[in-house]
Amino acid sequence: MTREEIRKNYKIYMEYVEKVLKDADSDKCKRHPFRSRSAHSRRVTQWAARLCEGREDVDRDVLILAAIFHDIGQADDDNEPHQTVGERMFRAYAKEQGFEEEFADKVAVCIGTHSNKQMLEHPEQLTVEQLLLMEADWLDEEGALGICWDSMACSYEGKLSFYEALERTKMYHEKRKNNPMVTERAKQFWQEKMDFVAEYIRQMEFDLTHFTE
């Protein structure tokens, strides 16, 4: 299969991943049922596209395919890490579709390592596609989406007050202050998200201040 054919099929690949997850009853997280893994994959793919924009050192097709398929291993509910299962599932799919072997191997390696975010501390050991996939995966569900997540998680857990939702957001925000991104573009996106959350916390604390005489 040519690169041009692969690019024309991005939508088909995304729909395939969504179907695999839904057929396995794995699209919704058991712990957080408001979260859709296929929707997450679509957003991570968008983040990947943003991060490689204007870069000539990135194999965009490798990165986009890896982003689309990065969580497909969640469909297999066994004891193996989902990234390991996902790499194996993608390799089988790539062979079935007739992807060029070297290309498929690059995509599979990205999928198989994407959860090892500690590797961002040693970016020289990563391909640029591995690096950008990890950043894209981490950038999703932070900032505004993270605030929404905290609120829905509190509601699902029966914590039904503004104060509890705010405290959850403050707790996780404190853990995310140190920017874990490597590339300059990702660092900028991360900082914008953290600034947004900090402003949200400031305004919420102001809004929730009680009247005292």
Side-chain angles (χ1 to χ4, degrees):
M1 182 176 289
T2 67
R3 292 296 189 97
E4 184 177 354
E5 290 172 324
I6 288 172
R7 291 175 199 131
K8 288 180 179 178
N9 288 334
Y10 283 160
K11 182 178 179 181
I12 292 173
Y13 302 144
M14 188 68 79
E15 289 173 347
Y16 170 77
V17 170
E18 183 174 2
K19 184 176 188 303
V20 169
L21 290 170
K22 288 185 176 179
D23 286 352
D25 196 26
S26 296
D27 189 51
K28 300 293 185 182
C29 299
K30 291 180 174 62
R31 185 178 177 186
H32 299 113
F34 51 82
R35 182 181 189 252
S36 162
R37 290 192 171 107
S38 56
H40 164 68
S41 294
R42 290 178 184 275
R43 294 192 303 270
V44 169
T45 304
Q46 180 61 62
W47 277 113
R50 288 168 179 151
L51 293 179
C52 73
E53 186 178 345
R55 295 188 59 153
E56 297 182 359
D57 61 333
V58 181
D59 189 326
R60 189 177 188 276
D61 298 321
V62 168
L63 178 59
I64 295 300
L65 259 292
I68 291 171
F69 282 87
H70 82 282
D71 267 357
I72 193 172
Q74 297 281 6
D76 194 335
D77 190 19
D78 59 17
N79 293 322
E80 282 189 279
H82 79 276
Q83 64 270 21
T84 302
V85 177
E87 177 179 353
R88 186 166 62 244
M89 292 176 70
F90 174 77
R91 288 186 185 278
Y93 181 81
K95 185 175 183 179
E96 178 185 296
Q97 295 296 311
F99 289 176
E100 192 268 326
E101 187 175 345
E102 183 179 356
F103 170 78
D105 186 63
K106 290 178 180 178
V107 176
V109 169
C110 289
I111 295 169
T113 57
H114 81 271
S115 292
N116 301 327
K117 300 299 193 300
Q118 68 272 17
M119 293 178 71
L120 288 173
E121 298 174 9
H122 303 282
E124 72 281 355
Q125 298 177 10
L126 302 169
T127 67
V128 66
E129 293 81 21
Q130 285 177 291
L131 171 60
L132 294 180
L133 177 59
M134 289 180 188
E135 290 183 329
D137 189 29
W138 213 339
L139 281 164
D140 185 43
E141 295 170 339
E142 297 292 345
L145 275 177
I147 293 169
C148 189
W149 176 298
D150 291 334
S151 298
M152 289 191 292
C154 279
S155 178
Y156 182 70
E157 294 165 5
K159 299 173 182 177
L160 303 177
S161 76
F162 294 131
Y163 302 96
E164 288 172 302
L166 176 59
E167 286 305 310
R168 181 187 176 103
T169 296
K170 288 170 66 176
M171 176 184 69
Y172 283 108
H173 178 62
E174 192 64 31
K175 295 179 180 180
R176 287 162 169 76
K177 283 184 177 179
N178 292 330
N179 196 324
M181 300 293 105
V182 175
T183 64
E184 289 305 313
R185 192 168 176 80
K187 284 181 180 179
Q188 180 181 350
F189 281 128
W190 184 272
Q191 192 57 53
E192 288 174 356
K193 284 174 172 285
M194 295 305 104
D195 291 345
F196 180 90
V197 176
E199 178 60 17
Y200 164 83
I201 290 171
R202 187 192 69 78
Q203 291 199 32
M204 279 291 286
E205 288 180 331
F206 183 81
D207 285 350
L208 296 176
T209 299
H210 288 234
F211 172 79
T212 57
E213 291 187 278

